[in-house]
């Protein structure tokens, strides 16, 4: 499947966060998955918590020094405040309706410290059209066949990634990942309604202002009050 350069991604987020918070920060990463990003970021901060809805994904990381919490990103169980909250890899696009995104932003508002920042990135529509050009990918690794089909439904703005894996013994597994590709303006509107605001919105992996026809947006968010 597509390989994510976690080291590169972590370097960008570290540089971005250093403009607003220091190494003494308390950090929360939501939708952390198997903690590959946390592997490169956690040593740079005083306290780092990696959270994800999948306990099996969190268990793939064997580090004893990393704090891991299994929870839904729209129902965060934390009572303490965080100076830096990270949501990477367009995880926000997996919240496929306005109500879910609203709940998530309200949860962020509740646990973000007064001077803290919230970093999240979002895939935009051009990114979906880009993947449509290579809609089907097939391959084989260690005897395992895989097939990925990418399908963007323009009218509903739903992007589907359909994965089929065939093991050497003939067993098959199929997964369908659905993402909602929101317009760029949607995030600004909802942040404002949830007591947050975007300090910056960059074209991801750069420090150039994001445009609606970019592939991915990187938001830097603070509390309004």
């Amino acid at each position: 499947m597509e390989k994510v350069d976690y080291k590169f991604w972590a370097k960008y987020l570290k540089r971005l966060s250093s403009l607003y918070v220091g190494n003494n920060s308390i950090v929360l990463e939501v939708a952390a998955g198997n903690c590959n990003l946390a592997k490169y970021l956690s040593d740079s901060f005083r306290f780092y918590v990696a959270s994800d809805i999948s306990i099996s994904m969190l268990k793939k990381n064997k580090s004893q020094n990393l704090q891991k919490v299994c929870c839904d990103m729209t129902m965060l169980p934390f009572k303490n405040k965080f100076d830096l909250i990270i949501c990477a890899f367009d995880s926000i696009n997996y919240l496929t309706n306005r109500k879910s995104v609203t709940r998530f932003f309200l949860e962020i508002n509740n646990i973000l410290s007064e001077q803290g920042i919230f970093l999240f990135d979002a895939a935009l529509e051009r990114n979906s059209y880009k993947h449509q050009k290579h809609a089907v990918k097939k391959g084989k690794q260690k005897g395992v066949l895989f097939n990925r089909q990418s399908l963007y439904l323009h009218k509903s703005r739903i992007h589907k990634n359909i994965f089929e894996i065939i093991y050497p013994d003939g067993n098959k597994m199929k997964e369908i990942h659905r993402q909602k590709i929101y317009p760029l303006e949607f995030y600004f509107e909802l942040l404002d309604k949830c007591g947050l605001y975007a300090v910056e919105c960059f074209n991801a992996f750069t420090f150039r202002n994001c445009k609606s026809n970019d592939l991915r947006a990187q938001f830097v968010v603070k509390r309004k009050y």
Side-chain angles (χ1 to χ4, degrees), residues 105 109 118 120 186-198 219-222 224:
F105 283 166
N109 194 346
F118 166 43
F120 77 92
F186 167 86
Y187 296 105
F188 290 97
E189 175 196 343
L190 217 56
L191 285 168
D192 182 65
K193 289 187 175 180
C194 295
L196 302 164
Y197 70 99
F219 284 84
V220 181
V221 174
K222 299 190 82 169
K224 286 200 292 187

Side-chain angles (χ1 to χ4, degrees), residues 23-150:
N23 293 348
N24 204 36
S25 298
I26 299 174
V27 183
L28 169 67
E29 183 186 347
V30 298
N34 55 11
C35 305
N36 281 334
L37 182 65
K39 172 184 173 182
Y40 292 103
L41 281 177
S42 57
D43 288 343
S44 299
F45 298 98
R46 177 164 62 99
F47 190 73
Y48 196 105
V49 179
S51 69
D52 196 88
I53 197 169
S54 170
I55 193 166
S56 61
M57 290 289 282
L58 292 173
K59 282 182 175 180
K60 289 182 179 180
N61 180 277
K62 304 301 181 183
S63 172
Q64 299 299 315
N65 299 321
L66 183 64
Q67 300 294 319
K68 288 164 277 190
V69 177
C70 183
C71 62
D72 186 329
M73 63 194 286
T74 65
M75 295 183 288
L76 297 171
F78 307 101
K79 293 183 179 180
N80 54 302
K81 303 287 186 180
F82 293 89
D83 306 306
L84 172 60
I85 302 175
I86 297 170
C87 179
F89 315 122
D90 50 74
S91 296
I92 197 166
N93 293 101
Y94 285 91
L95 302 177
T96 56
N97 58 69
R98 183 185 181 93
K99 186 176 180 180
S100 295
V101 181
T102 299
R103 285 203 306 262
F104 177 49
F105 283 166
L106 288 173
E107 290 290 276
I108 295 299
N109 194 346
N110 285 337
I111 62 172
L112 188 64
S113 67
E114 188 174 346
Q115 299 301 321
I117 61 165
F118 166 43
L119 303 180
F120 77 92
D121 61 81
L124 302 177
E125 194 167 47
R126 186 181 164 203
N127 187 63
S128 290
Y129 285 128
K130 176 187 174 184
H131 285 287
Q132 277 293 146
K133 293 179 181 178
H134 309 282
V136 178
K137 284 191 176 182
K138 296 181 179 181
K140 186 175 183 180
Q141 226 175 25
K142 296 181 180 180
V144 178
L145 297 170
F146 64 83
N147 175 40
R148 189 203 75 176
Q149 182 182 1
S150 181

